[in-house]
Amino acid sequence: MSKNIKIKKGLNISLKGEAIKEIVSLPLPETAALKPPDFINVTPKLLVNEGDEVTAGTPLFFDTADERIRFCSPVSGEVAEIVRGEKRRIMEVRILADKEIRYTPVDSTAARNFDRSKLIDFLLYNGAWPLIRQRPYGTIASPNDEPKSIFIPAFDTNPLAPDYNFLLKDSIPEFQAGVTILKKLTSGKVHINIAATATTTTVFTGCTGIQLNRFEGPHPAGNVGVQIHHLDPISKGEKVWWVNPQDVVIIGRLFTLGRLDCSKIIALTGSEVLKPAYYSTITGAAIKNITRDGGLAEKEHRIISGNVLTGHQISPEGYLGFYDAQLTVIPEGNSPQFMGWLAPGLEKFSLSRTFLSWLQPHKKYTLNTNLYGEERPFVVSGEYEKVFPMDIYPVQLLKSILIEDVELMEQLGIYEVVEEDFALCEFICTSKIESQEIIRRGLNLIQKELG
């Protein structure tokens, strides 16, 4: 039975630069890369060397903690470079891509009828397993566990987020095939969550074998953590898996097309983009072709793989993050402001009524990366609770992590959150506390202590 849930706490951040509903077809990128840092707590072991020829679906590295979890090339071509960072940590495996992708063939006909155990082995072997993530910890799902449910968040409320109804309107058969496979991985429900107020295509409403839920309210109503909290909250020892809608399609293609086809559509957004639109590309694509076509303003800017709240800064020569369906370009905040906070603030976004901009509730803003201050004492001000729609005390949880009190962290709900759930708290924090970094520190600690 479907549920309708209304979220009251939260905050919508209206920015300029939303992608127009137009898909631009681009040629394949000259290079693509798989970046191990995209995968939380994965220590990679290389399976290829520079100069090796690969096809799309060839394993590039595996996780040393579980050798069955393999990470495969999204394109065919030559391994051009293995980029290493401090202590020789592998940062990128770059592929010089062919002009036309050659795929590793996959015999998927019999796999559609596999039982759960064989199906997991099939997904692991063919490189689709990293698409499935878990709560708690926000890591790749463990193939040794069985989740009590699986979530597919079919809408995103982050600033300038892509519209999944638009992205997947031509991928209905592949999406249904992916959902059918995911259904076999749990004895519980597969939840598809949509926005209550949006016009939704049949890619979600016509899907079978699922529970369809509708969420209403401001951001972070589209965060999967909020959805899990209200539908199937996690206690100690429990696991919930979740998959991004476009990744469900990739899983579906593995069984319908017999290949690991990592094609995806991403939204190029932000106030510094001259032609914000949707672009067809591939996982791990070099972004320079996309930003060149979209056009960027001729001033200093920051390119973010993902959204402005949870994304990661990349260089103009960088590569799309493995899980990202959005590129955002905003101004760098490195120039002084006349009068600072004494100005009327008609162009400044604020949660409070500090600036006159509160008189324009529907205004779209051009925000930069300026923090407008430095880190200050961490006090209980009640700010976090205004935008945090979970039955959790956010400030107390952060402080329990800072003192490394594992038992208190458990009592305060550490299993239900990951970094993105605290992104709004970090955004509105007058103390400039890096809440997301603290949450990751706590999750790593508790995973190390308890497994």
Side-chain angles (χ1 to χ4, degrees):
M1 181 179 177
S2 64
K3 294 185 178 181
N4 297 314
I5 296 175
K6 186 172 184 178
I7 304 297
K8 295 182 179 180
K9 293 182 179 181
L11 178 67
N12 288 326
I13 305 171
S14 297
L15 302 183
K16 294 180 181 178
E18 182 178 358
I20 61 173
K21 297 295 178 63
E22 173 186 323
I23 298 178
V24 180
S25 295
L26 294 176
L28 285 172
E30 296 176 0
T31 57
L34 217 55
K35 301 183 288 186
D38 286 344
F39 311 104
I40 296 172
N41 294 340
V42 165
T43 302
K45 177 70 174 179
L46 283 173
L47 293 169
V48 294
N49 298 305
E50 292 182 3
D52 288 354
E53 289 288 329
V54 297
T55 57
T58 298
L60 301 179
F61 55 88
F62 63 83
D63 183 8
T64 55
D66 190 336
E67 297 183 5
R68 297 173 298 169
I69 301 178
R70 314 200 305 174
F71 301 82
C72 296
S73 175
V75 296
S76 60
E78 179 184 335
V79 179
E81 185 179 7
I82 296 171
V83 181
R84 295 181 182 269
E86 294 182 1
K87 299 181 179 179
R88 294 187 53 78
R89 181 188 181 195
I90 301 170
M91 305 303 292
E92 295 177 355
V93 180
R94 296 179 182 175
I95 310 296
L96 183 63
D98 296 333
K99 293 183 178 180
E100 184 174 343
I101 296 180
R102 295 174 288 113
Y103 293 93
T104 300
V106 176
D107 185 6
S108 59
T109 305
R112 299 173 196 173
N113 299 317
F114 281 171
D115 61 19
R116 183 179 185 274
S117 177
K118 289 185 177 179
L119 195 58
I120 289 174
D121 291 339
F122 181 84
L123 292 169
L124 287 164
Y125 183 81
N126 291 291
W129 192 259
L131 300 171
I132 305 173
R133 288 174 278 179
Q134 73 169 34
R135 294 290 185 102
Y137 309 130
T139 56
I140 295 172
S142 171
N144 299 321
D145 297 331
E146 180 173 352
K148 62 174 183 171
S149 58
I150 296 177
F151 278 67
I152 302 173
F155 74 107
D156 193 341
T157 52
N158 279 291
L160 303 176
D163 182 351
Y164 287 117
N165 293 302
F166 177 72
L167 292 187
L168 303 184
K169 60 185 176 64
D170 297 323
S171 303
I172 295 177
E174 295 90 346
F175 184 82
Q176 178 62 69
V179 170
T180 301
I181 295 303
L182 292 175
K183 179 65 179 173
K184 294 183 178 182
L185 300 181
T186 178
S187 56
K189 297 178 180 178
V190 174
H191 296 270
I192 294 182
N193 306 316
I194 62 175
T197 56
T199 302
T200 307
T201 61
T202 54
V203 66
F204 302 128
T205 58
C207 198
T208 59
I210 55 97
Q211 175 170 313
L212 189 71
N213 307 296
R214 291 175 168 83
F215 280 77
E216 180 182 355
H219 181 67
N223 280 8
V224 70
V226 173
Q227 297 167 11
I228 293 172
H229 177 81
H230 286 85
L231 292 171
D232 197 5
I234 302 171
S235 299
K236 184 177 180 179
E238 295 179 332
K239 301 290 191 300
V240 170
W241 292 355
W242 73 279
V243 188
N244 182 281
Q246 285 206 92
D247 294 339
V248 175
V249 171
I250 294 175
I251 293 173
R253 291 195 198 116
L254 184 64
F255 290 85
T256 57
L257 301 180
R259 65 193 189 200
L260 185 64
D261 185 347
C262 296
S263 302
K264 66 193 317 181
I265 298 171
I266 66 111
L268 178 61
T269 65
S271 59
E272 303 308 288
V273 179
L274 302 180
K275 297 188 299 181
Y278 291 86
Y279 289 83
S280 60
T281 184
I282 199 137
T283 298
I287 66 165
K288 58 185 179 182
N289 290 350
I290 301 171
T291 54
R292 185 188 305 126
D293 189 89
L296 303 183
E298 294 184 359
K299 57 183 178 180
E300 193 169 359
H301 49 251
R302 180 175 298 188
I303 301 175
I304 301 167
S305 182
N307 63 74
V308 294
L309 294 177
T310 63
H312 296 86
Q313 180 181 0
I314 56 176
S315 74
E317 302 297 319
Y319 298 86
L320 185 68
F322 184 83
Y323 296 109
D324 295 330
Q326 179 182 1
L327 281 174
T328 311
V329 189
I330 60 176
E332 279 287 359
N334 53 5
S335 56
Q337 288 195 320
F338 178 67
M339 295 180 65
W341 61 270
L342 293 175
L346 289 171
E347 298 299 322
K348 293 182 178 180
F349 181 87
S350 177
L351 177 64
S352 66
R353 294 188 175 186
T354 304
F355 300 115
L356 292 179
S357 57
W358 72 271
L359 296 170
Q360 308 172 82
H362 302 295
K363 180 179 177 63
K364 293 183 181 294
Y365 294 86
T366 299
L367 301 185
N368 59 36
T369 62
N370 199 322
L371 294 180
Y372 299 102
E374 58 187 5
E375 189 170 327
R376 307 180 181 97
F378 193 9
V379 297
V380 180
S381 62
E383 293 175 310
Y384 285 20
E385 286 76 8
K386 295 176 182 178
V387 298
F388 195 78
M390 296 187 187
D391 188 19
I392 289 173
Y393 295 111
V395 174
Q396 287 82 348
L397 175 57
L398 290 171
K399 289 188 174 184
S400 71
I401 295 171
L402 292 173
I403 63 173
E404 299 188 352
D405 188 330
V406 172
E407 184 177 352
L408 185 57
M409 289 159 58
E410 290 181 327
Q411 294 172 355
L412 289 169
I414 185 69
Y415 295 115
E416 293 209 58
V417 299
V418 297
E419 299 96 313
E420 69 173 6
D421 298 313
F422 276 74
L424 269 182
C425 297
E426 185 173 285
F427 176 74
I428 57 95
C429 183
T430 53
S431 295
K432 313 301 177 185
I433 302 298
E434 295 185 356
S435 304
Q436 296 186 76
E437 187 275 331
I438 295 173
I439 289 296
R440 175 44 55 191
R441 194 192 316 168
L443 289 168
N444 289 344
L445 173 63
I446 206 164
Q447 189 173 19
K448 179 181 178 180
E449 291 288 333
L450 305 177

